[in-house]
Each structure stands twice: as structure tokens, then as C-alpha cells.
């Protein structure tokens, strides 16, 4: 085991995959010589050369389109979109080409690409550096969507994504890059170096896609969360004094519905937390699935705690961000139902 930040764990996953398979190539804006805006690819170009880790023009459509062509020819591109907010020019390539390639070719071709993107807020990035677009991708057949919440999972899930034969959207909560964040923005930040989930196994240890993790066991209410919201939910449950079971979904597609239903059947209550805007967010899909699977076990209406239906506001960052106070209120309300 080695103690790592999420940035270091992501870099380690690249290194392990590139050392094991010459077909793995890494590229994007500033990812080569500069090592990426968050340094997730630092040192890879020096180690593996400019043909396997290289910089691209500022052209997201071109980055993804090139990766699709390379994948069709047998390579395994791992590309970085500098911020999730910048992916929209490439959306057509992702939806119409990458996600459909296996189906439209009758499996003669696959598209083993990983599209890495820093996501979410909590860093005063404003409306163009704080978005959480996961629901735009969970709606698309043919894609897998991954959101790690800690360094160990970041490495293991990225390695699994690189090995997957189909396109994977890999969303990295940038507020978690250097340490866990429970939503208390006025308190000191803890480094991953001092957190048990900062301990990362060496080598090629894969975390399977489609398997959720119960991060806090409880019997009163089930909380479904992913990314930064996992730590917010844990902090809210602790502060509210409620015996909540917190589930870190880890992958949104494929979704571990078995773990979710087993927990809701036990607790009889469910709160769903995500940072993205409320309307048509992934929480709505989760509510529908829980309702369909656990209707006769529910003791109270489910509650969503989300970002607001507005652009991410710079000046009102913490009013938008679903913090422990809002989650705690939802926990108390669902217990009264």
C-alpha cells in the first residue's frame, strides 16, 4: 500500500496501464509536457515518449473524434477533457459515434476509449468550471459512467475502465483531488495522506465496474450518493444523529441496483444526494428505480437533495452546493414520514 492523493492515484493508474499494454495512449489539452492542468498525467510523456502521451489543440470534438478512430484501429486511448464543462463540442462524437460503434458495426468494431473529466464544484470555479453533466451520459445507451470518491477507487476504477471494451465516461470530482470534503467549507481540509482511503494498493488491482460500496452502515434510512456527496452525506448523518446507511454508487452505469434495493428494503426510507441540477438529474432515475423495486418496503416518500436549477453561481457557491445542513434536514424529514 502507498499513501496517495486522488491525483497521484489517477496518474499511477495511467502508468500501470501504459506499462502493461503498448496500445494505451494518453492525450488531451496540456496533458503531455505540462502533465495536465491538475497534473494527473505528469511525467508520463517523459517516461513513455511523445507518441504515447501527447498534447492536442484546444478542440474537444477533435480529441474525441481522433480517439474513436484510434480505438477502431485497435488502440486504447485514455483522453482528458480539461473540465467537464468543456465536453459539449464533443457530445455528438460521444453519442453518435463512440456509443453506437459496437451496435452499428454488429460488433465488428468496438470503442475502448476512456474520457476523463474533472467534474463538480466547491472550488469557486463559477458556471464554466463547476458543472456536473453525468445525467447527459447516463441517458445514452452504449456508455458506461464512473464517478470515484477516493484515491483507491480512482485507481482501481480507472484501470477497469481502460480494460473495458466499450467507451467509459470517467468523472473525477475535482474537490476531492487532494482530500475528502464533507461540505464544511469553513473548516480545515484533511489530506488523503492522513485518510484511510488514501491507502492505494500497488500494481494492477482493479475495482469492478457496477459495484457500489456501503461506506456507512445503518438501519434508519438509505442515502444514495456519489463523488463528493458521499462525504457530505456521512457528515450530515453524523451531525443529525441519524443511523443512516450511506451507499457510494461509484458507477452510475452499470448501476448496482442489488445493493441499493437490499439497503432500502432494510431501512424503508431513502434520500438521494447529488451536486448536479435537480430537474432530470440522475437522482430522478434513482428515485424511479427505487420506487419500482422497493414500493412495498418504503415507509415514507423519498427525498432528493441536489444543486438548484440555475447555472453554478460563483458568488453563492455554498448556497448552491448541497451541504450537510440541507442533507441533514432531508434526513430528519424522511424520518418523520
Amino acid at each position: 500500500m502507498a499513501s496517495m492523493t486522488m491525483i497521484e492515484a489517477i496518474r499511477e493508474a495511467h502508468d500501470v496501464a501504459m506499462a502493461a499494454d503498448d496500445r494505451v495512449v494518453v492525450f488531451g489539452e496540456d496533458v503531455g509536457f505540462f502533465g495536465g492542468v491538475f497534473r494527473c498525467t505528469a511525467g508520463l510523456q517523459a517516461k513513455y515518449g511523445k507518441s504515447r502521451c501527447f498534447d492536442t489543440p484546444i478542440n474537444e470534438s477533435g480529441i474525441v473524434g481522433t480517439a474513436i478512430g484510434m480505438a477502431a484501429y485497435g488502440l486504447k486511448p485514455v483522453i482528458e477533457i480539461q473540465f467537464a464543462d468543456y465536453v459539449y463540442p464533443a457530445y455528438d462524437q460521444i453519442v453518435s459515434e463512440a456509443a453506437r460503434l459496437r451496435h452499428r458495426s454488429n460488433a465488428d468494431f468496438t470503442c475502448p476509449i476512456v474520457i476523463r473529466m474533472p467534474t463538480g464544484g466547491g472550488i469557486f470555479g463559477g458556471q464554466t468550471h463547476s458543472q456536473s453533466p453525468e445525467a447527459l451520459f447516463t441517458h445514452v445507451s452504449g456508455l458506461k459512467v464512473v464517478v470515484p470518491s477516493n484515491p483507491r477507487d480512482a485507481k482501481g476504477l480507472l484501470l477497469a475502465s481502460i480494460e473495458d471494451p466499450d467507451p467509459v465516461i470517467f468523472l473525477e470530482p475535482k474537490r476531492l483531488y487532494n482530500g475528502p470534503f464533507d461540505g464544511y467549507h469553513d473548516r480545515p481540509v484533511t489530506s488523503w495522506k492522513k485518510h484511510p482511503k488514501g491507502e492505494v494498493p500497488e500494481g494492477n488491482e482493479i475495482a469492478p465496474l457496477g459495484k457500489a460500496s456501503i461506506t456507512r452502515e445503518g438501519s434508519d434510512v438509505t442515502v444514495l450518493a456519489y463523488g463528493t456527496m458521499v462525504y457530505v452525506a456521512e457528515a450530515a448523518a453524523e451531525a443529525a444523529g441519524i443511523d443512516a446507511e450511506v451507499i457510494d454508487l461509484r458507477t452510475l452505469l452499470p448501476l448496482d441496483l442489488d445493493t441499493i434495493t437490499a439497503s432500502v428494503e432494510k431501512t424503508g426510507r431513502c434520500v438521494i444526494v447529488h451536486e448536479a441540477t435537480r430537474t432530470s438529474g440522475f437522482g430522478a432515475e434513482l428515485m424511479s428505480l427505487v420506487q419500482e423495486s422497493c414500493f412495498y418496503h418504503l415507509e415514507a416518500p423519498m427525498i432528493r437533495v441536489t444543486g438548484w436549477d440555475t447555472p453554478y453561481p460563483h458568488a453563492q457557491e455554498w448556497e448552491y452546493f448541497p451541504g450537510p445542513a440541507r442533507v441533514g434536514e432531508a434526513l430528519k424529514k424522511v424520518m418523520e414520514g
Side-chain angles (χ1 to χ4, degrees):
M1 291 281 195
S3 182
M4 298 183 186
T5 66
M6 188 180 285
I7 290 170
E8 292 169 336
I10 290 167
R11 185 188 307 145
E12 173 81 3
H14 282 88
D15 192 13
V16 169
M18 294 177 80
D21 190 341
D22 290 341
R23 296 174 299 168
V24 177
V25 292
V26 177
F27 56 95
E29 297 164 17
D30 295 324
V31 305
F33 179 80
F34 192 60
V37 67
F38 293 104
R39 303 299 189 272
C40 290
T41 56
L44 296 178
Q45 186 178 88
K47 185 172 183 179
Y48 294 101
K50 294 181 180 180
S51 64
R52 295 191 62 202
C53 181
F54 54 90
D55 297 317
T56 68
I58 303 174
N59 185 331
E60 286 76 19
S61 177
I63 294 168
V64 174
T66 300
I68 294 168
M70 295 170 85
Y73 273 89
L75 296 177
K76 301 176 76 172
V78 183
I79 60 176
E80 178 180 296
I81 302 298
Q82 201 166 79
F83 287 87
D85 315 62
Y86 300 168
V87 75
Y88 304 115
Y91 194 68
D92 180 45
Q93 291 283 356
I94 295 169
V95 174
S96 301
E97 304 298 336
R100 310 267 196 261
L101 187 57
R102 175 189 288 275
H103 179 79
R104 71 191 300 179
S105 70
N106 197 27
D108 285 341
F109 293 95
T110 59
C111 193
I113 67 174
V114 178
I115 304 175
R116 292 181 41 249
M117 294 182 275
T119 189
I123 64 164
F124 290 100
Q127 64 180 357
T128 58
H129 296 81
S130 304
Q131 296 174 52
S132 299
E134 62 271 11
L136 297 178
F137 300 106
T138 57
H139 186 67
V140 179
S141 301
L143 299 178
K144 294 181 172 71
V145 181
V146 179
V147 190
S149 69
N150 60 75
R152 181 170 187 156
D153 282 354
K155 180 183 176 182
L157 291 169
L158 183 52
L159 286 169
S161 300
I162 294 170
E163 289 194 2
D164 198 273
D166 293 305
V168 178
I169 306 297
F170 196 89
L171 296 165
E172 302 162 6
K174 49 186 164 310
R175 180 66 210 224
L176 300 182
Y177 270 150
N178 291 303
F181 179 62
D182 59 11
Y184 291 109
H185 59 91
D186 53 351
R187 297 182 182 179
V189 175
T190 301
S191 169
W192 285 119
K193 304 284 187 178
K194 299 179 181 179
H195 194 280
K197 290 185 179 178
E199 295 295 316
V200 179
E202 297 179 2
N204 190 24
E205 180 169 305
I206 288 176
L209 303 183
K211 184 62 180 174
S213 173
I214 298 175
T215 64
R216 185 185 195 269
E217 294 188 352
S219 59
D220 287 346
V221 54
T222 298
V223 183
L224 305 181
Y226 49 92
T228 309
M229 293 299 107
V230 171
Y231 303 98
V232 174
E234 291 174 346
E238 188 69 26
I242 292 174
D243 190 23
E245 182 151 285
V246 178
I247 298 179
D248 179 359
L249 299 181
R250 304 205 298 175
T251 62
L252 308 186
L253 283 180
L255 181 69
D256 185 359
L257 189 57
D258 289 344
T259 295
I260 294 171
T261 55
S263 178
V264 175
E265 287 175 2
K266 177 178 70 172
T267 66
R269 292 173 170 83
C270 184
V271 171
I272 296 164
V273 188
H274 63 65
E275 190 178 341
T277 49
R278 180 181 181 87
T279 300
S280 299
F282 191 64
E285 177 69 14
L286 290 171
M287 290 187 82
S288 183
L289 289 168
V290 172
Q291 182 78 357
E292 291 169 2
S293 302
C294 306
F295 177 78
Y296 292 106
H297 293 85
L298 289 171
E299 302 290 341
M302 290 178 281
I303 298 177
R304 280 180 292 171
V305 185
T306 71
W308 305 118
D309 285 337
T310 69
Y312 210 113
H314 183 273
Q316 289 82 35
E317 177 102 22
W318 304 118
E319 283 73 22
Y320 179 96
F321 189 91
R326 283 173 58 195
V327 177
E329 290 172 5
L331 292 173
K332 292 174 184 177
K333 184 176 180 179
V334 80
M335 291 304 300
E336 294 169 356

